[in-house]
């Protein structure tokens, strides 16, 4: 039979009044006939008329499946009124919009939310306020704690993300709104912003100290400077973080992440938090989907590797695309059609290396176990006891190790994803610890972290750890990485634990133990491959450079060379912990 013809009605700029009187505007997509229908809502700062949200879910397609779809410009962005301050108004505005959407003509009072990144975070901020009409949500590649991959990671600032996001994505609309009644002034100001964007897109613009001197054409993004001046223990982050509030969320959740996404760690922490909530309440458990993806790229080619078309968001394990999974989930949670998910395991993760999807009942996978690999003399990574004299290198902030792919959200010239780290491994400030060739396939599927015993000549410095899959042809493909700022070590005491406290300098020459959280991965190291751990002190411009002086890079440009020593002996057993599963 030919497909059924369906008519969709699109209403542009539908107003919604928030509790403080500010009007926010939405595009509403509705089936022309029938109803009432559940509502699918997304709230974003990138323009409701710019179809970036269709990466996850096309409104017209959702309409055809019996949903009303609402796409809203958040406060201070594009058509909506008010002033934009990132995340500051999304709690109240999110709550008010959910309840407004539930009462739209043709709506049946049930609301689900969807969207990725910023508009994944707007879901959480709405959900913790307990809007009664919000029944389910699909937060994709997003975060809850700004200190774990959004503003900072391990105490280091996410310079590459924050600055490029602000200048290339947020600043243009602010400029156009500011001078919409003065086209001549706009014509004078626009070239300065375009020049800053072009510089970033070409791979420049980050090498500025102090950070507060980063170009901000016409003062469009003051929140960037303010963020770099806030430490780990600044109370501002507590206002925005979702940690400690997941118990308020009554919506059923589907979490979507990527092994090379900058918010992977938070995606997994959110899943764990909602799993605990569901177990305590005896309600439906959350679902989890993790592909080999980078931030916003759900294709099969990520960096220098292609994982096969079945890994992509357009053909998930040859069982439909991301939109199809969304609609199945909403059919089950908003329409009561539980059979829509009957053939899908609660947890689906793509395992790189073997390049196939695996299904589990929960995460981490049942039966997973931790295995410890020790750093040892001669640059070896071994299951045997550590030995050897400490290794040493010098870290110069004026010549940092360049960022090569990985879990980054930066201009495309940096090429996120699976990248060969060989060029960096030739540098004297990068230490490599490598296993013997593996006799059998070795599957890592779960948390990855490093216990590092190190000393520095500086009162503060950074340590970066990177897990690498060394192929028989010599390619050294980065799998996962992490960083710890020495002065922030007490704020990140264990993998997955964030406990903000005042910075604490280190004593030069004294050995300290650091826990570096590499979050997690899904990768099978094939027989004949080798496992490698890189240790260094920078990845620039992803993370801001530690000046090695104890002074803040937001206010100082003075640098010193740090003399670093990495210990691996019975008293200082530096190690890599991998979570492994069978076959």
């Amino acid at each position: 039979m030919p497909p059924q013809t369906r008519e969709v009605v699109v209403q542009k700029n539908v107003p919604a009044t928030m509790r403080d009187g500010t009007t926010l505007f939405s595009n509403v997509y509705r089936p022309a006939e029938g109803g009432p229908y559940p509502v699918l809502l997304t709230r974003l700062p990138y323009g409701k008329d710019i179809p970036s949200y269709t990466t996850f879910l096309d409104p017209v397609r959702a309409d055809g499946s019996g949903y009303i779809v609402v796409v809203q410009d958040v406060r201070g962005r594009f058509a909506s009124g008010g002033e934009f301050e990132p995340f500051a108004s999304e709690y109240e505005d999110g709550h008010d919009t959910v309840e407004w959407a539930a009462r739209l003509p043709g709506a049946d009072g049930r609301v689900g939310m969807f969207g990725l990144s910023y508009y994944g975070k707007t879901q959480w901020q709405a959900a913790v306020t307990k809007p009664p009409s919000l029944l389910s949500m699909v937060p994709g590649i997003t975060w809850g704690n700004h200190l774990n991959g959004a503003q900072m990671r391990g105490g280091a600032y996410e310079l590459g993300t924050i600055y490029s996001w602000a200048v290339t994505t947020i600043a243009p609309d602010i400029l156009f709104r500011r001078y919409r009644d003065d086209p001549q002034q706009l014509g004078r100001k626009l070239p300065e912003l375009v020049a800053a964007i072009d510089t970033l897109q070409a791979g420049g613009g980050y090498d500025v100290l102090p950070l507060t001197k980063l170009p901000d054409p016409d003062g469009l993004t003051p929140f960037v400077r303010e963020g770099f001046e806030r430490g780990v223990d600044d109370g501002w982050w507590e206002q925005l973080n979702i940690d400690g509030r997941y118990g308020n969320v009554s919506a059923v959740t589907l979490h979507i992440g990527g092994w090379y996404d900058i918010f992977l760690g938070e995606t997994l922490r959110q899943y764990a938090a909602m799993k605990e909530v569901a177990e305590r309440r005896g309600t439906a458990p959350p679902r989890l989907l993790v592909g080999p993806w980078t931030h916003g790229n759900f294709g099969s080619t990520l960096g220098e590797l292609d994982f096969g078309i079945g890994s992509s968001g357009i053909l998930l394990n040859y069982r439909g695309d991301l939109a199809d999974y969304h609609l199945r989930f909403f059919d089950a949670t908003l329409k009561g059609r539980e059979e829509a998910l009957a053939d899908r395991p609660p947890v689906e993760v793509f395992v790189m290396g073997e390049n196939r999807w695996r299904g589990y009942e929960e995460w981490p996978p049942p039966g997973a176990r931790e295995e410890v690999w020790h750093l040892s003399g001669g640059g070896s990574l071994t299951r045997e006891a550590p030995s050897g004299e400490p290794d040493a290198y010098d870290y110069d902030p004026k010549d940092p190790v360049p960022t090569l792919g990985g879990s980054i959200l930066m201009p495309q010239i940096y090429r996120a994803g699976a990248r060969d780290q060989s060029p960096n491994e030739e540098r004297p400030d990068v230490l490599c610890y490598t296993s013997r060739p593996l006799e059998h396939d070795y599957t890592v599927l779960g948390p990855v972290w490093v216990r590092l015993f190190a000393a520095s000549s500086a009162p503060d410095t950074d340590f970066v750890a990177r897990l690498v899959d060394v192929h028989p042809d010599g390619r050294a493909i980065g799998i996962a990485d992490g960083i710890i700022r020495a002065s922030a070590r007490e704020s990140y005491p264990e993998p997955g634990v964030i406990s903000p406290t005042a910075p604490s300098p280190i004593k030069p020459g004294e050995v300290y133990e650091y826990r570096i959280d590499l979050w997690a991965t899904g990768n099978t190291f094939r027989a004949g491959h080798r496992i490698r751990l890189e240790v260094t002190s920078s990845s620039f411009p992803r993370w801001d450079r530690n000046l090695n002086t104890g002074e803040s890079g937001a206010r100082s440009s003075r640098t010193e060379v740090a003399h670093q020593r990495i210990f691996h002996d019975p008293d200082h057993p530096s190690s890599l912990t991998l979570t492994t599963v069978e076959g």
Side-chain angles (χ1 to χ4, degrees):
M1 296 179 61
Q4 183 179 357
T5 300
R6 292 180 179 270
E7 183 179 356
V8 175
V9 175
V10 182
Q11 296 173 287
K12 304 274 286 187
N13 296 317
V14 180
T17 302
M18 302 294 102
R19 65 187 66 182
D20 66 352
T22 301
T23 301
L24 308 186
F25 290 92
S26 304
N27 290 343
V28 178
Y29 302 77
R30 64 175 71 249
E33 299 176 350
Y37 298 106
V39 176
L40 304 183
L41 166 67
T42 192
R43 308 182 59 251
L44 67 160
Y46 307 126
K48 60 181 173 52
D49 299 313
I50 303 172
S52 57
Y53 48 85
T54 59
T55 302
F56 259 24
L57 185 61
D58 179 23
V60 175
R61 182 171 171 184
D63 279 2
S65 296
Y67 292 94
I68 296 171
V69 180
V70 176
V71 184
Q72 184 183 74
D73 288 330
V74 300
R75 180 181 295 252
R77 297 294 291 171
F78 293 87
S80 289
E83 294 297 320
F84 178 71
E85 182 179 355
F87 312 104
S89 301
E90 309 303 359
Y91 291 107
E92 294 82 2
D93 287 354
H95 184 286
D96 293 351
T97 300
V98 167
E99 294 308 305
W100 165 82
R103 298 189 298 271
L104 284 169
D108 68 2
R110 294 171 292 180
V111 177
M113 295 188 76
F114 69 97
L116 55 87
S117 197
Y118 191 108
Y119 41 120
K121 181 75 184 317
T122 62
Q123 295 179 57
W124 288 113
Q125 291 185 265
V128 299
T129 68
K130 304 180 182 180
S133 302
L134 181 61
L135 302 185
S136 61
M137 51 193 271
V138 186
I141 54 175
T142 193
W143 73 100
N145 194 312
H146 287 252
L147 304 179
N148 192 37
Q151 181 71 30
M152 297 183 200
R153 174 89 180 269
Y157 292 101
E158 291 281 1
L159 171 63
T161 296
I162 295 298
Y163 185 55
S164 63
W165 174 74
V167 173
T168 64
T169 307
I170 298 300
D173 178 58
I174 297 176
L175 183 71
F176 281 103
R177 288 168 68 97
R178 181 174 293 177
Y179 296 112
R180 57 189 162 195
D181 297 325
D182 190 348
Q184 290 186 342
Q185 185 74 334
L186 175 63
R188 287 191 289 269
K189 296 290 186 178
L190 186 57
E192 184 181 358
L193 176 58
V194 170
I197 293 173
D198 285 347
T199 298
L200 286 174
Q201 301 290 14
Y206 288 107
D207 198 10
V208 175
L209 286 173
L211 296 179
T212 49
K213 289 188 176 180
L214 285 166
D216 181 16
D218 208 44
L220 299 172
T221 56
F223 55 84
V224 173
R225 173 179 295 186
E226 294 166 2
F228 289 141
E229 291 182 326
R230 299 183 190 276
V232 174
D233 59 332
D234 194 295
W236 175 249
W237 307 122
E238 185 63 24
Q239 301 177 52
L240 302 183
N241 290 341
I242 308 299
D243 284 6
R245 308 185 197 187
Y246 289 106
N248 293 343
V249 179
S250 58
V252 183
T253 54
L254 163 60
H255 307 258
I256 298 179
W259 294 131
Y260 286 106
D261 177 51
I262 191 172
F263 302 129
L264 170 67
E266 283 295 282
T267 296
L268 298 177
R269 289 178 81 240
Q270 290 173 338
Y271 166 84
M274 294 307 298
K275 180 172 177 286
E276 181 180 341
V277 169
E279 290 172 348
R280 187 169 64 247
R281 294 176 179 165
T283 55
R287 303 181 75 87
L288 177 67
L289 177 73
V290 184
W293 309 312
T294 62
H295 193 80
N297 182 351
F298 302 99
S300 63
T301 302
L302 294 311
E304 298 171 24
L305 297 183
D306 187 275
F307 298 100
I309 192 171
S311 71
S312 71
I314 63 172
L315 199 62
L316 288 172
N317 203 17
Y318 310 102
R319 302 172 66 184
D321 58 12
L322 277 172
D324 176 70
Y325 196 3
H326 273 76
L327 294 173
R328 283 172 173 247
F329 176 75
F330 287 128
D331 282 351
T333 58
L334 297 180
K335 296 181 178 180
R337 300 176 183 170
E338 295 183 3
E339 69 277 6
L341 293 173
D343 64 339
R344 304 294 292 259
V347 172
E348 295 178 76
V349 291
F350 187 84
V351 181
M352 302 177 292
E354 63 187 51
N355 291 353
R356 69 181 178 97
W357 290 92
R358 296 192 186 194
Y360 296 98
E361 289 299 311
E362 61 182 359
W363 178 268
R369 64 186 184 278
E370 289 189 344
E371 294 191 350
V372 177
W373 292 74
H374 293 287
L375 284 63
S376 203
S380 65
L381 186 68
T382 176
R383 299 296 307 280
E384 301 168 358
S387 63
E389 295 298 313
D391 297 309
Y393 65 93
D394 289 344
Y395 158 53
D396 184 355
K398 294 181 179 178
D399 182 25
V401 177
T403 300
L404 284 179
S407 303
I408 59 175
L409 175 54
M410 294 167 59
Q412 291 187 11
I413 196 169
Y414 292 97
R415 296 171 57 204
R419 295 281 307 281
D420 186 1
Q421 304 298 308
S422 297
N424 281 346
E425 292 178 350
E426 297 174 358
R427 294 174 55 110
D429 54 355
V430 177
L431 301 179
C432 294
Y433 299 89
T434 309
S435 74
R436 292 187 292 269
L438 297 169
E439 295 182 0
H440 307 283
D441 288 357
Y442 185 82
T443 299
V444 178
L445 191 56
V448 178
W449 60 280
V450 168
R451 183 186 187 196
L452 192 70
F453 290 88
S456 176
S457 64
D460 192 17
T461 194
D462 290 347
F463 291 102
V464 172
R466 180 171 293 106
L467 176 64
V468 174
D469 184 350
V470 184
H471 291 230
D473 61 8
R475 286 177 298 158
I477 302 298
I479 300 296
D481 58 11
I483 189 171
I484 190 71
R485 182 145 292 177
S487 60
R489 65 196 180 280
E490 295 173 0
S491 294
Y492 301 85
E494 298 287 344
V497 176
I498 305 169
S499 180
T501 187
S504 176
I506 58 175
K507 295 180 180 179
E510 186 168 318
V511 180
Y512 290 84
E513 179 181 343
Y514 302 96
R515 305 295 179 100
I516 306 177
D517 191 355
L518 278 63
W519 290 342
T521 194
N523 187 74
T524 293
F525 292 82
R526 289 296 198 180
H529 289 224
R530 291 175 292 163
I531 302 170
R532 175 172 292 164
L533 181 72
E534 296 177 1
V535 176
T536 185
S537 288
S538 54
S539 179
F540 183 80
R542 176 182 181 177
W543 292 307
D544 75 307
R545 295 165 288 175
N546 196 308
L547 307 184
N548 296 331
T549 62
E551 299 171 342
S552 168
R555 295 179 290 274
S556 175
S557 59
R558 184 175 67 89
T559 68
E560 293 183 0
V561 175
H563 307 289
Q564 320 285 51
R565 289 185 296 161
I566 306 301
F567 293 78
H568 41 73
D569 57 62
D571 294 328
H572 307 97
S574 294
S575 61
L576 164 69
T577 298
L578 301 174
T579 303
T580 66
V581 298
E582 296 295 337

